[in-house]
Structure formats: structure tokens, C-alpha cells
């Protein structure tokens, strides 16, 4: 079976980490009789330099024709890079917003996993981190408060600002279906997060999620208010499998969940549309401070590639092989600089490696 993957190496550490993800994908291809064909497109600062804009229409057309997109990261140092002297719609990030919109990516997936070997980086109490956690935050990405009408006007001599929070049944249904589909591939539990004790949009959210749940009898559904969920994430994160929520709640909760895992270099993410198509990328940025030094952690991008295999190509076995290889490499004591332990005793028990060596080590464990 052959799959066409469009790669967006982007800026900063992007090209370095995408290279390692391709290396790992080629490894599973060899092991599993698969073929991945890659085509690179420019996006971000590199596209501004080459084409005068952060994303060209030709690049979008190429991405649309692919089975999935694998991205590194875009952008530069926002204080010093000339890209940030351009108007906002011409800056690197505008390329990503344009791509998400053109591809209709409405579902954002962010796993938050605590690896045993990295538990020391978890800021939670030891008795909580010792239990571990492995959750997926599914956030609606194109509706709600961030996309509603907004205005600021003067009323009775003072400024009044309004932001509209709107959700239609259809917008809720399509993300709920994605959430249940993902849960079927994981622990078969969905926690739908809302504020149904106050908001009409949340009451509609709850109603539609319950309707969708009827088609997934194997999946356990629970509802949780967003303020309680924020507490539960630091009190008992192990209880969660898939957290399904709207745009703003998901924005806040996914950042909270990622912080309790420890390192940004380990965090994968995906954005999906209503077909199998998805854009897969690490959660971190282009890390201009370490770009070109060969020390970036490629694991977030490698795990994003694994998500691509699982959610866009239904290659669960190949994805499992990558996830297991990553776990094994950590167990074998290899660390990039960002996940090095801080105390001298723990440091002496692990081996510091660079970006390319980490990719090689993961490949070796797949073979
Ligand atoms: P950043 O995530 O790039 O870096 C924050 C810190 O984390 C830095 O110290 C960096 O060295 C470290 N870090 C990040 N990824 C790492 C990795 N894989 N391995 C080791 N260390 C890693 O965030 P920032 O500095 O705020 O942003 C830099 C640029 O990235 C900005 O232009 C920003 O707009 C852009 N950005 C892009 C994306 C994206 O492409 N989706 C996301 C966030 C930020």
C-alpha cells in the first residue's frame, strides 16, 4: 500500500525533526511492506523568503492532493526576525492559519502522556505522577467564541465589548463523532467537558454528544463541567481517556494537560477534517534558540507521524511499533537535552544524544 505524504519542514528546528520522522516512517515502511511518498512544500518564514508570502496557493493545492500532511514548525525569533516587521497577515503564522482553513481542519487532537522514565519532570505530587496517565484532548477548532461575531462600542459613556459564542448541532456532531471514533481506538471512554449549568451552547453540546454516543455503545460517556475538569487534570489525570470539548475550553485544558507531562519536545498533535485527512505536527514551536545545533528532540514529530499512521491511514500496528520504540529508547536511558534529568545522580544514569542519533535509536528498536 502506498501513501502520499506532504511534508512541511518549515523553519528553525522544523527541517531537523521532520527528517527524523521520515527516517522512522521509512523504517516502519520497510518492516511492514508499505510505501510512503514524500513531497515537500514551503510554509512560514522560508516561504516568505522564497515566494514573498507565507503559503502559496500552489502549496495548498499540493497539500490538498496528499493523503496527509506532516509538519515541523514555522516561525522565527519574534523579537529579532525581519518576518515580524511584516503586517500580521504576511507573517509566518498566517501560513498555518490559511492552511488549516483551506483544509477545513476542525478537530484538534493533543495527546498528553506521562512516560514512567520522565515522571520526574511531572510537576504533580509524586503519588499522582506515579499512577501515570495517557489521555487525548479532542478540541473543536473552528467554532465557538474564537470565531463568533465580536464588537466593542460605547454604551452610556463606557466601552462595552461583546464576543459571541455560537455552536450549531452539526458543528458539535462532527467533532463528537471524531471523539468517539478516537475513543474506539483507545480506552473506550469519553469525558465530554462543558459548562452546561450556565451556557446554552453547552446544553446543546451535551444533548448532541448524548445522541452521538448511542452509536458507540462500547464507549463509556461521562459529562464533566470545565472548572471541575481543570481541577481533575492535576488531581487525578489517570481517570481520563478522551476529553472531548469545545474550542476555548480545549485551548486552556490542552495547555494544562501538556504542562503536567513535562517536556514540550515530547508532545505530538493532529488536526483533522471530516475525511481521514489530517495535519500532524509537534505542539512546540520552531525553537530558534537551538535551531541548527542538532540537539532538538525529534520525538514529538515522530509521535505525530505515528498519529498520522493511526488516524489517517488506519495503520494501528505500525503506529504501535513507533510508540513502543519511543518508550524503549527512553527505558534504555537515552535523552535529548530537553528531557535530561536535573540532578547529578539521575544524569549519570542516562546518555545524552542529539536529534539524529535519537532518530537512529528509535529506528533500531523498530527493526
Ligand atoms: P518554542 O516552542 O519554539 O520554544 C520554547 C522553548 O522550548 C525553547 O527553549 C525551545 O528551545 C524549547 N523547545 C521547543 N521544541 C523543542 C524540541 N523539539 N526539543 C528541544 N527543545 C524544544 O516556542 P517560542 O520560542 O515561543 O516560539 C518560537 C517560534 O515558534 C515563534 O516564531 C512562534 O510563533 C513559533 N511557533 C510555531 C508553532 C507552530 O509551528 N505550530 C507553534 C508554536 C510557536
Amino acid at each position: 500500500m502506498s501513501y502520499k505524504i506532504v511534508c512541511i519542514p518549515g523553519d528553525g528546528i522544523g527541517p531537523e525533526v521532520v527528517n527524523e520522522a521520515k527516517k522512522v516512517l521509512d523504517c516502519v515502511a520497510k518492516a511492514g511492506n508499505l510505501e510512503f511518498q514524500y513531497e515537500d512544500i514551503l510554509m512560514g518564514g522560508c516561504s516568505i523568503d522564497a515566494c514573498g508570502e507565507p503559503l502559496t496557493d500552489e502549496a495548498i493545492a499540493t497539500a490538498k492532493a496528499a493523503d496527509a500532511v506532516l509538519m515541523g514548525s514555522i516561525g522565527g525569533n519574534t523579537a529579532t526576525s525581519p518576518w515580524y516587521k511584516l503586517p500580521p497577515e504576511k507573517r509566518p503564522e498566517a501560513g498555518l492559519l490559511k492552511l488549516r482553513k483551506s483544509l477545513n481542519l476542525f478537530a484538534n487532537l493533543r495527546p498528553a502522556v506521562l512516560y514512567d522514565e520522565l515522571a520526574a519532570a511531572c510537576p504533580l505530587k509524586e503519588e499522582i505522577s506515579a499512577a501515570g496517565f495517557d489521555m487525548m484532548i479532542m478540541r473543536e477548532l473552528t467554532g465557538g467564541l474564537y470565531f463568533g461575531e465580536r464588537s466593542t462600542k460605547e454604551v452610556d459613556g463606557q466601552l462595552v465589548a461583546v464576543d459571541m459564542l455560537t455552536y450549531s448541532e452539526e458543528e458539535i456532531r462532527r467533532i463528537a463523532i471524531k471523539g468517539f471514533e478516537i475513543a474506539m481506538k483507545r480506552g473506550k471512554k469519553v469525558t465530554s467537558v462543558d459548562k452546561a449549568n450556565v451556557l446554552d451552547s453547552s446544553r446543546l453540546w451535551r444533548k448532541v454528544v448524548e445522541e452521538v454516543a448511542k452509536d458507540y455503545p462500547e464507549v463509556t460517556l461521562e459529562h464533566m463541567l470545565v472548572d471541575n475538569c481543570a481541577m481533575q487534570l492535576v488531581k487525578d489525570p489517570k481517570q481520563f481517556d478522551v476529553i472531548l470539548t469545545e474550542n476555548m475550553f480545549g485551548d486552556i485544558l490542552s495547555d494544562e494537560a501538556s504542562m503536567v507531562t513535562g517536556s514540550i519536545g515530547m508532545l505530538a498533535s493532529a488536526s483533522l477534517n471530516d475525511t481521514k485527512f489530517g495535519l500532524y505536527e509537534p505542539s512546540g514551536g520552531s525553537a530558534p534558540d537551538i535551531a541548527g545545533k542538532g540537539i532538538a528532540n525529534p520525538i514529538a514529530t515522530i509521535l505525530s507521524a505515528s498519529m498520522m499512521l493511526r488516524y489517517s491511514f488506519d495503520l494501528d500496528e505500525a503506529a504501535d511499533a513507533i510508540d513502543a520504540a519511543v518508550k524503549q529508547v527512553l527505558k534504555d536511558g537515552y535523552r535529548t537535552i530537553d528531557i535530561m534529568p536535573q540532578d547529578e545522580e539521575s544524569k549519570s544514569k542516562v546518555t545524552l544524544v542529539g536529534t539524529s542519533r535519537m532518530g537512529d535509536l528509535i529506528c533500531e528498536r523498530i527493526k
Side-chain angles (χ1 to χ4, degrees), residues 33-202:
N33 212 7
L34 304 162
E35 192 195 352
F36 299 122
Q37 293 169 5
Y38 309 103
E39 184 172 354
D40 284 359
I41 58 171
L42 294 177
M43 189 170 86
C46 56
S47 176
I48 296 173
D49 291 347
C51 315
E53 52 181 318
L55 183 69
T56 63
D57 290 340
E58 297 78 66
I60 293 176
T62 308
K64 275 188 175 165
D67 294 312
V69 176
L70 179 66
M71 189 181 130
S73 49
I74 53 157
N77 184 319
T78 48
T80 57
S81 164
W83 299 327
Y84 295 92
K85 296 203 169 68
L86 297 166
E89 68 280 8
K90 302 258 182 215
R91 291 180 192 170
E93 290 70 20
L96 184 55
L97 295 179
K98 188 173 165 188
L99 186 66
R100 283 190 179 141
K101 199 167 172 203
S102 314
L103 299 174
N104 193 26
L105 303 171
F106 65 84
N108 183 242
L109 276 179
R110 274 171 67 174
V113 181
L114 184 65
Y115 293 92
D116 289 349
E117 294 72 19
L118 303 181
C122 173
L124 302 179
K125 280 188 194 156
E126 212 181 315
E127 64 262 31
I128 299 172
S129 62
F133 56 83
D134 179 350
M135 73 184 95
M136 181 71 83
I137 308 231
M138 162 77 75
R139 163 189 171 194
E140 203 288 327
L141 204 57
T142 56
L145 201 57
Y146 297 171
F147 288 87
E149 280 175 31
R150 65 192 81 250
S151 65
T152 306
K153 53 186 173 206
E154 201 174 303
V155 179
D156 297 334
Q158 63 171 333
L159 289 176
V160 175
V162 178
D163 294 290
M164 193 88 87
L165 199 180
T166 309
Y167 268 111
S168 71
E169 280 182 85
E170 198 34 51
E171 281 174 309
I172 302 168
R173 185 163 289 109
R174 64 183 187 175
I175 184 90
I177 291 170
K178 283 277 176 203
F180 281 91
E181 293 287 338
I182 302 287
M184 286 296 288
K185 283 186 176 255
R186 295 176 43 96
K188 298 196 171 73
K189 180 179 173 191
V190 169
T191 305
S192 174
V193 174
D194 59 38
K195 190 73 182 168
N197 54 342
V198 178
L199 301 174
D200 257 23
S201 56
S202 281

Side-chain angles (χ1 to χ4, degrees), residues 322-340:
I322 296 179
D323 296 354
V326 167
K327 276 193 183 135
Q328 192 58 46
V329 157
L330 296 175
K331 205 168 177 191
D332 292 344
Y334 295 101
R335 302 282 186 274
T336 43
I337 187 96
D338 57 311
I339 52 173
M340 272 304 268

Side-chain angles (χ1 to χ4, degrees), residues 112-302:
V113 181
L114 184 65
Y115 293 92
D116 289 349
E117 294 72 19
L118 303 181
C122 173
L124 302 179
K125 280 188 194 156
E126 212 181 315
E127 64 262 31
I128 299 172
S129 62
F133 56 83
D134 179 350
M135 73 184 95
M136 181 71 83
I137 308 231
M138 162 77 75
R139 163 189 171 194
E140 203 288 327
L141 204 57
T142 56
L145 201 57
Y146 297 171
F147 288 87
E149 280 175 31
R150 65 192 81 250
S151 65
T152 306
K153 53 186 173 206
E154 201 174 303
V155 179
D156 297 334
Q158 63 171 333
L159 289 176
V160 175
V162 178
D163 294 290
M164 193 88 87
L165 199 180
T166 309
Y167 268 111
S168 71
E169 280 182 85
E170 198 34 51
E171 281 174 309
I172 302 168
R173 185 163 289 109
R174 64 183 187 175
I175 184 90
I177 291 170
K178 283 277 176 203
F180 281 91
E181 293 287 338
I182 302 287
M184 286 296 288
K185 283 186 176 255
R186 295 176 43 96
K188 298 196 171 73
K189 180 179 173 191
V190 169
T191 305
S192 174
V193 174
D194 59 38
K195 190 73 182 168
N197 54 342
V198 178
L199 301 174
D200 257 23
S201 56
S202 281
R203 284 190 274 271
L204 181 62
W205 180 276
R206 215 174 252 219
K207 176 176 174 285
V208 176
V209 169
E210 277 175 5
E211 284 166 15
V212 172
K214 290 186 186 134
D215 294 332
Y216 300 87
E218 284 175 64
V219 178
T220 306
L221 169 66
E222 67 174 13
H223 299 284
M224 193 176 276
L225 295 176
V226 62
D227 38 355
N228 185 26
C229 184
M231 283 193 287
Q232 295 298 327
L233 276 173
V234 291
K235 204 174 147 211
D236 179 19
K238 194 178 166 49
Q239 68 182 290
F240 296 113
D241 177 29
V242 173
I243 291 180
L244 170 67
T245 192
E246 61 94 73
N247 202 345
M248 184 178 63
F249 297 159
D251 188 10
I252 298 165
L253 294 176
S254 60
D255 265 18
E256 184 189 357
S258 63
M259 277 324 294
V260 294
T261 62
S263 166
I264 192 142
M266 300 290 297
L267 299 171
S269 85
S271 304
L272 312 174
N273 66 17
D274 50 9
T275 67
K276 283 276 173 189
F277 186 91
L279 166 73
Y280 297 85
E281 53 170 326
S283 291
S286 61
D289 52 334
I290 57 166
K293 294 184 179 166
I295 59 171
N297 187 349
I299 293 179
T301 317
I302 290 168

Side-chain angles (χ1 to χ4, degrees), residues 9 11-21 290-296 298 355-356:
D11 308 312
I13 61 168
E16 301 168 48
V17 291
V18 166
N19 252 345
E20 299 313 306
I290 57 166
K293 294 184 179 166
I295 59 171
T355 312
S356 164

